[in-house]
Amino acid sequence: MADSGEYEGDDGGSARELCVNGACMKAAEVEAKLDEGNIQEAESSLREGLSLNFEEARALLGRLEYQRGNVEGALRVFDGIDLHAAIQRLQPSFSEKSASKKCRSRSDSHVSVSQHAASLVLEAIYLKAKSLQKLGRLTEAANECKSVLDAVERIFQQGIPDAQVDNRLQETVSRAVELLPELWKQVGCDHDALAAYRRAVLSQWNLDNECCARIQKRFAVFLLHSGVEAGPPSLGSQVEGSYAPKNNLEEAILLLLILMKKYHLGKIKWDPAVMEHLTYALSLCSQTSILAKQLEEIMPGVFLRSDRWNALALCYSAIGQNDAALNLLRKSLHKHERPHDLMALLLAAKICSEDCHLAAEGIQYARTALSNAQGKDEHLKGVGLRMLGLCLGRHAKVSSSDYERSRLQSEALKSLDGASTFENNNADLFFDLGVHYAEQRNLSTALRYAKQYIDATGGSVLKGWKLLALVLSAQQRFSEAEVVTDAALDETTKWEQGPILRLKAKLKIAQALPMDAIETYRYLLALVQAQRKSFGPLRCLSQIEDDKVNEFQVWHGLANLYSGLSHWKDVAICMGKARELKAYSAEMLHTEGVMHEGCGQTHEALRAYINALLIEPSYVPCKVLVGSLFSKLGPKALPVARSLLSDALRIEPTNRKAWYYLGLVHKDDGRIADAADCFQAASMLEESDPIESFSSIA
């Protein structure tokens, strides 16, 4: 039996030799016979010179041909021997070893020789598969490669042991395990490739860490991008108590997390592609919090710290932790870091555009981004202009003067219109323009952009339908708005229908159809019950707040409906249900105040309104009602009422009730001209007042 089959020679170009069983012969002698086409003579020369049997000599001869680049010649040699029969003859040698541990000293040498023989024969099958691959006969190559692994599993029925395995045999097995799924992919047999990958990662092949990592990474990429639905692994391959992935995405994420753990333990080298694939996979399932944890665990020096901060900011922004995200971006954009990083500037501007009190900071980020959007980044000018427009519009809401507010709103629309020249097919830009024009009561233009947004998104985004319905309601076209809500319900899933159904109920109220509105709320409550059963009773507060059908908003809306009908007992019942879900909220205290006011309990109503303002100081409905109550307390309270109503109008200039009550205050104070102006503003706004504030969808 052969114990090896290596070329030996030094770097000085001395003649190569084949050394097996302690005997050596020059490779040139065998190659000369092969060049003459005398395969049988070359085989005989190897058998006699190196004491090999037929299969071993042919295996060594085929390897020699393959290494010389003569793939077709190697294949002819491999085809001339029965490699599978040789494997079957080798099986008893290994089974004998496992059965007789008492005679270890005597059997070790025999088994060692058997391993070397198996190494030659298995390598021959592997090289045959490689030869077939190079010749384009991929299906045959995959079958030959599979036969290597089948043979190894027959020989080592308990898996390849960690020690006392011939290095060349282990190398052949590792290469075959790595090659087989790639061959099936080249053939186009994705399900066979999937089976090969699972066989590679779940069976005991004694692979080294780097080889195993390569296979796991390729398997994860295959699961993410092949388009083949893998399904969970078979029950036989699952370890009791271990996590079993349910689909491609879960299995890919599991593999990539295993690779990250191996890196942290120092078992494999850092591979940036693993992090890229993990980022993609976790982003697909909105699990950026897990991605953030992985980024935080990576040792310093792997990423530039500014890149790590930017990536973490993106993760935190995606899960709604805008404060943490913005703090990271501020560090990244520090003058000693990368103050002109365009993507960080745009992300910071976007985060700031969602908060009135951060909008001024966002304006600076957006303007810096615009000044840096040059050359190859000029296409991002549209994004910069859009962020600038959003920040300006948001900042206008907290402006201290009418002139400043008007100027900022004008600049905001100018920036958004400018963005449309760069991004004339951007659906989000259509939506932003629609909301801005709607808030300024330019309803015909707002309607046009709302329709463009629905066309651009194919009606697949809920907020587009909501914007269109609100614009139509502001035009007092309630029946058309109801048609829009019905269309939206047809386009959305059951769990996403909550906001549209609440809007539909308000449309019914606006059309003086309270019983129809009550029926809509009953359907919403049925959805709430179904949602609770579907997702289970043991849910945390954050999960309840994220519900598509928000139970608190349903009970609060129903309480407002009964309040409009002066059904105070029903209002109290609905408020009790809502308080079980959220004990303290400005909305509920506002409704409670309306109930007390309707029952003639002025002091209790005032207490409820003030408590609401303590919770949310800028809550406009309560400011308006407190102002109206103070206006009824006599001439000394008029300045307080005027101040409250003016502050409400500073926050929400289009609040018709604030204009109306301010008009009453001016009238009682003897300012008839000012009162007339306020009443005229209230009248004009009533003609274009939506059933729900446009800011609720911005």
Side-chain angles (χ1 to χ4, degrees):
M1 291 286 183
D3 60 350
S4 65
E6 304 288 344
Y7 281 129
E8 288 190 357
D10 57 33
D11 294 334
S14 61
R16 294 173 301 148
E17 292 185 333
L18 292 168
C19 297
V20 179
N21 291 338
C24 295
M25 66 181 297
K26 292 182 179 181
E29 296 177 11
V30 181
E31 289 174 349
K33 291 181 173 62
L34 289 172
D35 290 338
E36 296 171 0
N38 297 324
I39 296 176
Q40 291 183 346
E41 289 185 19
E43 173 208 322
S44 299
S45 178
L46 283 174
R47 292 178 66 181
E48 293 171 5
L50 300 176
S51 302
L52 303 176
N53 63 26
F54 174 78
E55 287 85 1
E56 292 165 351
R58 281 269 173 160
L60 190 57
L61 193 61
R63 188 176 77 188
L64 184 61
E65 283 281 59
Y66 182 84
Q67 289 172 335
R68 294 171 68 208
N70 186 3
V71 177
E72 293 183 352
L75 194 56
R76 283 195 298 272
V77 174
F78 291 135
D79 284 338
I81 55 177
D82 190 349
L83 298 171
H84 302 286
I87 292 296
Q88 289 176 354
R89 286 200 300 274
L90 287 167
Q91 278 183 257
S93 301
F94 291 93
S95 58
E96 285 167 13
K97 189 209 175 190
S98 60
S100 61
K101 294 189 177 180
K102 294 180 181 179
C103 306
R104 181 180 294 271
S105 60
R106 187 176 59 189
S107 63
D108 278 352
S109 60
H110 172 69
V111 172
S112 176
V113 172
S114 298
Q115 282 195 19
H116 296 319
S119 173
L120 274 176
V121 177
L122 287 172
E123 186 186 31
I125 306 176
Y126 169 75
L127 291 178
K128 183 178 181 182
K130 290 290 292 181
S131 301
L132 289 165
Q133 182 190 23
K134 291 185 177 182
L135 293 172
R137 296 158 63 180
L138 297 174
T139 303
E140 296 174 64
N143 287 324
E144 290 294 338
C145 191
K146 181 176 180 295
S147 70
V148 174
L149 303 185
D150 292 341
V152 171
E153 286 185 333
R154 288 198 301 271
I155 294 171
F156 301 99
Q157 295 180 4
Q158 303 301 319
I160 299 179
D162 293 338
Q164 297 180 344
V165 177
D166 179 77
N167 289 338
R168 197 167 195 89
L169 174 59
Q170 182 62 63
E171 184 182 347
T172 300
V173 172
S174 299
R175 288 178 176 177
V177 170
E178 196 170 354
L179 177 64
L180 182 57
E182 304 305 314
L183 287 172
W184 284 126
K185 285 195 294 185
Q186 291 174 23
V187 173
C189 297
D190 289 337
H191 288 286
D192 289 317
L194 174 68
Y197 272 126
R198 282 190 173 154
R199 186 182 189 184
V201 297
L202 295 174
S203 298
Q204 187 177 343
W205 301 110
N206 195 30
L207 305 175
D208 65 74
N209 287 323
E210 291 296 337
C211 177
C212 187
R214 285 195 302 272
I215 294 170
Q216 287 173 328
K217 186 180 95 169
R218 290 171 186 167
F219 187 18
V221 173
F222 177 78
L223 289 166
L224 288 173
H225 303 293
S226 68
V228 177
E229 186 55 47
S234 62
L235 292 174
S237 63
Q238 297 178 19
V239 179
E240 186 177 355
S242 64
Y243 171 74
K246 302 179 184 65
N247 52 49
N248 289 36
L249 191 58
E250 286 189 10
E251 193 166 1
I253 290 171
L254 180 61
L255 288 164
L256 293 167
L257 288 175
I258 289 171
L259 288 171
M260 291 298 295
K261 185 175 182 180
K262 286 182 178 180
Y263 161 71
H264 293 313
L265 294 174
K267 292 182 178 181
I268 59 174
K269 296 177 182 178
W270 170 250
D271 183 355
V274 171
M275 196 65 204
E276 290 171 7
H277 293 306
L278 185 60
T279 300
Y280 170 72
L282 290 171
S283 299
L284 281 180
C285 55
S286 302
Q287 294 296 325
T288 52
S289 58
I290 298 174
L291 181 58
K293 185 174 184 295
Q294 292 297 318
L295 286 165
E296 289 168 349
E297 290 178 353
I298 295 172
M299 294 294 289
V302 174
F303 287 117
L304 289 173
R305 62 182 184 178
S306 56
D307 287 339
R308 189 200 299 254
W309 290 334
N310 291 344
L312 281 169
L314 201 57
C315 292
Y316 287 130
S317 173
I319 57 176
Q321 296 183 18
N322 283 344
D323 290 341
L326 189 57
N327 285 334
L328 287 164
L329 290 169
R330 285 167 178 157
K331 292 168 68 176
S332 175
L333 292 168
H334 190 272
K335 64 180 180 179
H336 296 309
E337 296 293 337
R338 291 161 64 182
H340 301 296
D341 186 307
L342 194 53
M343 302 310 293
L345 287 165
L346 291 172
L347 179 57
K350 180 181 183 298
I351 292 171
C352 291
S353 73
E354 298 172 9
D355 189 329
C356 295
H357 303 291
L358 295 172
E361 183 181 354
I363 291 170
Q364 298 305 315
Y365 290 135
R367 285 176 173 159
T368 305
L370 283 170
S371 64
N372 285 280
Q374 306 293 335
K376 63 182 179 64
D377 294 323
E378 191 170 2
H379 66 286
L380 292 172
K381 271 191 175 179
V383 182
L385 284 167
R386 177 173 168 245
M387 291 303 115
L388 178 59
L390 293 176
C391 289
L392 287 166
R394 191 70 68 175
H395 188 43
K397 294 179 185 296
V398 293
S399 178
S400 57
S401 69
D402 292 339
Y403 171 77
E404 182 70 8
R405 182 186 303 112
S406 177
R407 183 184 67 81
L408 289 170
Q409 288 175 341
S410 176
E411 288 185 18
L413 281 175
K414 183 179 177 181
S415 294
L416 291 172
D417 284 330
S420 64
T421 62
F422 289 92
E423 301 184 313
N424 54 6
N425 292 317
N426 187 333
D428 290 329
L429 187 56
F430 296 153
F431 179 80
D432 295 332
L433 282 163
V435 171
H436 274 72
Y437 278 113
E439 287 180 332
Q440 294 189 30
R441 296 302 190 267
N442 187 341
L443 297 179
S444 58
T445 306
L447 184 65
R448 174 164 57 85
Y449 279 116
K451 289 178 178 178
Q452 284 183 337
Y453 180 76
I454 289 175
D455 290 339
T457 58
S460 61
V461 184
L462 196 65
K463 65 181 183 180
W465 292 107
K466 191 172 181 182
L467 174 61
L468 181 57
L470 286 178
V471 171
L472 288 170
S473 73
Q475 293 178 327
Q476 310 303 305
R477 296 158 65 180
F478 298 120
S479 58
E480 293 178 58
E482 193 172 347
V483 171
V484 169
T485 60
D486 290 337
L489 292 173
D490 291 337
E491 294 291 333
T492 52
T493 62
K494 179 170 62 174
W495 304 125
E496 295 177 330
Q497 292 178 354
I500 293 295
L501 285 168
R502 289 199 306 274
L503 200 63
K504 185 173 182 177
K506 291 178 181 180
L507 284 168
K508 294 291 187 183
I509 295 169
Q511 296 175 84
L513 298 170
M515 298 311 296
D516 290 351
I518 291 171
E519 194 61 35
T520 302
Y521 275 115
R522 282 178 182 166
Y523 179 71
L524 270 167
L525 289 171
L527 274 183
V528 167
Q529 295 297 324
Q531 180 176 254
R532 190 180 294 161
K533 290 179 182 178
S534 177
F535 297 109
L538 301 176
R539 297 180 298 155
C540 64
L541 180 61
S542 62
Q543 287 175 311
I544 292 172
E545 289 176 347
D546 289 341
D547 281 346
K548 297 292 186 182
V549 185
N550 190 301
E551 186 175 358
F552 170 79
Q553 291 179 353
V554 175
W555 285 114
H556 178 239
L558 199 51
N560 283 336
L561 169 56
Y562 284 126
S563 176
L565 298 174
S566 300
H567 293 182
W568 306 120
K569 288 185 179 179
D570 293 327
V571 172
I573 293 170
C574 293
M575 285 172 54
K577 293 287 187 180
R579 280 206 177 94
E580 290 176 7
L581 300 164
K582 191 187 289 187
Y584 303 102
S585 73
E587 296 95 331
M588 285 308 303
L589 286 166
H590 169 258
T591 305
E592 180 185 343
V594 171
M595 181 182 70
H596 287 309
E597 196 172 353
C599 295
Q601 301 167 348
T602 305
H603 291 291
E604 287 80 358
L606 189 59
R607 187 185 304 118
Y609 296 146
I610 292 173
N611 285 337
L613 290 173
L614 291 173
I615 294 174
E616 193 174 331
S618 60
Y619 190 63
V620 170
C622 283
K623 279 183 179 289
V624 172
L625 292 178
V626 171
S628 73
L629 286 176
F630 270 100
S631 69
K632 299 172 184 176
L633 298 178
K636 291 183 179 180
L638 290 179
V640 178
R642 187 187 310 115
S643 176
L644 285 165
L645 292 167
S646 297
D647 192 45
L649 287 170
R650 179 187 62 80
I651 299 169
E652 191 178 324
T654 56
N655 190 298
R656 63 179 178 85
K657 288 185 178 180
W659 284 109
Y660 173 74
Y661 289 123
L662 185 59
L664 290 178
V665 169
H666 285 317
K667 179 185 174 184
D668 292 342
D669 206 23
R671 302 179 181 181
I672 304 302
D674 290 339
D677 290 340
C678 290
F679 290 141
Q680 184 179 8
S683 176
M684 290 174 63
L685 287 171
E686 187 175 16
E687 294 174 0
S688 60
D689 199 29
I691 56 171
E692 189 176 294
S693 172
F694 289 114
S695 61
S696 65
I697 53 171

